[in-house]
Amino acid sequence: MIFTNLTTKTVEATSLLIYVTVTVPLAYLVWTIIYNLFFSPLSRFPGPKLAACTNLPYLYWTSTGEYHYKIKTLHDKYGDVVRTGPKTLVYRTPQAWKDIYGHRKSGAGSFLKDPQFYLRGPRGPNIINADDEYHSRARRLLSHAFSEKALRDQEGLIQSYVDMLVERLDGEFLASRTADMSQWYNFALFDIIGDLSFGEPFGCLRESQYHPWVKMVFVSIKLLSLARPLVVYPFLAPIARMFLPQRLERMREEHFALTTEKVHQRLETKTERPDFMTYILRFDDERSMTTREMEANAAVLILAGSETTASVLSGFTFYVLTSPNAYRKLLQEIRGAFKSYDEINFQSVSQLAYLNAAIEETLRVFPPVPGATPRVVPKGGALIDGEFIPEDVSVSGAHYSTYHAEEHFTEADSFIPERWLEDKDECYKSDKLGAVQPFSLGPRNCLGRNLAYAELRLIVSKVFWTFDMAIDRSAVDWNIQKAYNVWERKPLMVKMSRAQH
Ligand code: HEM
């Protein structure tokens, strides 16, 4: 009798346990779905139903490297604002850029960077992922290193690497007649940014190969993208770790260790050369940076200052070489402007109208950060594109989708530098050029913008002045690329021969 009673009680307890562990979460799940679809303040925004209920589609799109294309498809289908997660909206209008990223009226809270997107490394915050207080101190300090005067002082150093690039390409051409320009631009940009950040190049141009540290940069960028599920769903961490190759994590650790070493080496060198560190070290008071902050920022300067510009150079070369009209006009302008190679400098290249238009057009069709850079709507909510959005929603503009929207640009997918010229055809006059914000805008826009333009103009002018080029058959669809925050970039094989002057 006692035994039967006990058994009945055990069965009842087990049933209750099953009921609680299965039914309660199930009920919660069903309620979350119903809430997200029908009662959430974002339920009025269009988008895929699954994305409204869970972040899984977003994580899938980013992990495949196709997020930028997916968002474009969604905007084309649903309109200028799409709900891509339970608390996420992605826009593609010029007004949304201003509302999300622009300067806010004093007193209005700022749109902070979305912490689920901007992950912090082991050295703590850096200028890109920091909160407002740290950011404004770091920005004030670093802005000296990016001033007009600093750029003028840095010209000699930058010129020397561009000349080395041209010399090495000459050698490469003699050896094989084709060069992977995507890789060669990277070599040059990494050497320049290495010298500006650490006081010494990575030796990529000299060795014609990537320094191990640089290889780790690529891994770090991809890892940041692939590790996102762990931030959105921390309980996935153990499962994700099983799939993420441990080698990747080890390389990321080595990356930070090497940065530390390089920063310390530079700090021990007493010099007045116009690199970033010289400007940072000029302040020895409350404005200055701790060594740990220098380590965190040096790593991010290398990332921000190399991949982006190298990516634009590769995109520029691809699009110009696959647009015979643009190639002809560009050669005419560059080779007509300079009698000799030595006349090519920061000042002289800034005057070339067609070159500048072609750079703008490259930034439009092939923006180096093609996806989105999300912010969080501040306390009290904010107006975006004329609509009130409640606080705590993740919002962003999407570069690739915005720049390829037919409603903003005539022949949006085509490379047409002429749309940026003063004297343009009637059909391009309605283009919304203000929709193109590859450097972002507002208080957290790109600090390296002037440096990037100077490098782009100089490198393009010297390379296109020196060589005749044609795209290799293997690279005809090069512009269709995956992106993990930045483009993955396949080899860009280009046939090269020395131009006859
Ligand atoms: C064509 C080349 C470049 C493009 C398109 C570009 C684009 C951008 C964008 C979109 C941001 C904002 C990122 C965000 O909101 O999360 C940014 C920030 C930044 N970029 Fe660039 N960038 C380029 C080149 C450079 C170069 C050469 C440097 C020099 C090291 C640089 C340094 C920075 C820094 C320090 C920030 C953070 C600024 C802040 O938060 O105050 N960038 N860049």
Side-chain angles (χ1 to χ4, degrees):
M1 184 69 180
I2 293 172
F3 179 73
T4 318
N5 265 351
L6 265 180
T7 317
T8 315
K9 278 199 176 135
T10 316
V11 171
E12 277 172 6
T14 314
S15 308
L16 185 68
L17 193 70
I18 293 174
Y19 180 76
V20 170
T21 50
V22 175
T23 318
V24 172
L26 203 66
Y28 177 74
L29 187 71
V30 171
W31 164 243
T32 311
I33 292 172
I34 293 173
Y35 172 80
N36 278 323
L37 286 178
F38 303 107
F39 300 109
S40 153
L42 300 193
S43 52
R44 66 199 150 101
F45 290 98
K49 293 279 175 273
L50 188 61
C53 303
T54 157
N55 282 307
L56 289 173
Y58 161 74
L59 294 174
Y60 173 71
W61 301 328
T62 50
S63 69
T64 56
E66 308 255 326
Y67 175 75
H68 50 296
Y69 295 138
K70 183 68 196 176
I71 294 296
K72 159 93 169 65
T73 315
L74 294 179
H75 277 144
D76 287 347
K77 181 171 176 186
Y78 294 106
D80 287 342
V81 52
V82 185
R83 187 180 183 195
T84 59
K87 288 177 78 177
T88 312
L89 297 174
V90 183
Y91 292 81
R92 74 164 179 195
T93 60
Q95 186 57 42
W97 284 124
K98 291 185 198 149
D99 295 336
I100 298 171
Y101 301 94
H103 288 276
R104 307 254 295 151
K105 283 199 199 102
S106 76
S110 56
F111 282 70
L112 291 181
K113 296 205 166 179
D114 185 342
Q116 290 204 332
F117 183 85
Y118 293 89
L119 309 184
R120 289 186 179 173
R123 301 293 184 273
N126 58 50
I127 185 167
I128 292 205
N129 61 27
D131 58 26
D132 275 356
E133 194 188 332
Y134 175 102
H135 171 261
S136 51
R137 183 165 61 87
R139 178 138 181 149
R140 223 173 299 132
L141 189 58
L142 277 175
S143 58
H144 299 284
F146 291 96
S147 65
E148 294 278 334
K149 153 103 177 54
L151 193 56
R152 275 198 304 278
D153 293 345
Q154 290 154 356
E155 175 164 4
L157 180 151
I158 294 170
Q159 285 268 19
S160 69
Y161 289 107
V162 182
D163 292 344
M164 203 195 302
L165 168 69
V166 171
E167 269 169 39
R168 304 291 285 121
L169 283 173
D170 225 0
E172 176 84 354
F173 151 66
L174 288 175
S176 68
R177 287 177 186 267
T178 59
D180 175 1
M181 287 306 286
S182 174
Q183 181 170 273
W184 279 98
Y185 288 139
N186 257 355
F187 290 166
L189 265 303
F190 272 113
D191 275 355
I192 293 172
I193 201 76
D195 201 330
L196 286 173
S197 304
F198 298 133
E200 57 172 282
F202 287 108
C204 300
L205 283 171
R206 196 187 54 231
E207 307 292 336
S208 306
Q209 61 175 359
Y210 289 116
H211 182 284
W213 195 95
V214 171
K215 281 193 196 149
M216 287 182 232
V217 169
F218 297 129
V219 173
S220 281
I221 298 177
K222 196 161 178 177
L223 209 60
L224 269 179
S225 204
L226 296 178
R228 200 145 292 136
L230 309 186
V231 185
V232 179
Y233 299 115
F235 63 89
L236 285 178
I239 306 167
R241 283 227 171 79
M242 285 181 345
F243 291 102
L244 273 185
Q246 291 212 327
R247 187 178 52 91
L248 290 188
E249 263 196 82
R250 250 196 336 270
M251 282 178 87
R252 187 158 179 264
E253 284 311 311
E254 285 170 29
H255 167 84
F256 282 106
L258 257 163
T259 309
T260 306
E261 189 187 312
K262 281 186 169 289
V263 167
H264 285 259
Q265 271 171 11
R266 172 63 185 82
L267 287 177
E268 280 159 23
T269 317
K270 297 279 168 266
T271 168
E272 272 303 302
R273 65 204 302 283
D275 59 26
F276 299 154
M277 217 48 115
T278 296
Y279 290 93
I280 293 173
L281 293 172
R282 273 199 190 142
F283 297 92
D284 194 14
D285 50 27
E286 74 287 348
R287 287 171 294 179
S288 63
M289 270 189 196
T290 63
T291 310
R292 207 170 172 76
E293 288 172 344
M294 284 180 210
E295 288 163 13
N297 281 295
V300 82
L301 285 176
I302 299 276
L303 278 183
S306 54
E307 260 307 292
T308 44
T309 317
S311 179
V312 183
L313 283 167
S314 306
F316 181 97
T317 304
F318 171 82
Y319 278 100
V320 166
L321 295 187
T322 50
S323 316
N325 184 38
Y327 184 48
R328 184 179 49 77
K329 286 186 181 172
L330 187 78
L331 288 194
Q332 237 168 32
E333 183 176 71
I334 294 176
R335 294 181 186 172
F338 307 115
K339 286 199 191 64
S340 80
Y341 178 89
D342 297 335
E343 291 175 14
I344 305 175
N345 56 45
F346 278 1
Q347 171 59 28
S348 59
V349 292
S350 66
Q351 314 297 325
L352 304 181
Y354 197 79
L355 166 73
N356 284 304
I359 290 175
E360 294 304 332
E361 184 66 348
T362 306
L363 287 162
R364 185 186 72 82
V365 289
F366 197 71
V369 184
T373 49
R375 305 290 197 258
V376 179
V377 177
K379 215 170 166 34
L383 271 187
I384 301 178
D385 222 6
E387 278 194 88
F388 178 79
I389 308 296
E391 68 190 43
D392 220 22
V393 172
S394 177
V395 288
S396 49
H399 293 274
Y400 183 88
S401 175
T402 308
Y403 309 164
H404 284 257
E406 288 291 337
E407 69 191 69
H408 298 334
F409 301 98
T410 306
E411 298 173 68
D413 286 332
S414 306
F415 180 76
I416 304 170
E418 286 73 10
R419 71 173 91 240
W420 295 91
L421 296 172
E422 292 272 307
D423 180 22
K424 61 182 128 190
D425 278 358
E426 205 52 41
C427 63
Y428 302 121
K429 288 192 174 152
S430 58
D431 283 352
K432 296 184 189 134
L433 301 183
V436 183
Q437 297 290 349
F439 295 94
S440 194
L441 64 166
R444 290 201 167 205
N445 72 350
C446 179
L447 200 48
R449 184 188 167 117
N450 291 342
L451 170 63
Y453 273 119
E455 288 176 327
L456 289 168
R457 294 183 194 120
L458 189 73
I459 295 175
V460 164
S461 298
K462 287 199 160 179
V463 168
F464 280 73
W465 193 91
T466 310
F467 301 105
D468 288 332
M469 292 187 273
I471 205 88
D472 187 72
R473 217 178 312 144
S474 64
V476 286
D477 63 350
W478 181 88
N479 56 331
I480 312 297
Q481 303 263 0
K482 287 182 185 292
Y484 298 92
N485 296 330
V486 291
W487 297 103
E488 200 167 45
R489 275 199 283 146
K490 302 176 275 196
L492 176 61
M493 301 311 292
V494 173
K495 294 182 206 149
M496 324 262 305
S497 57
R498 229 180 196 286
Q500 302 298 319
H501 286 284

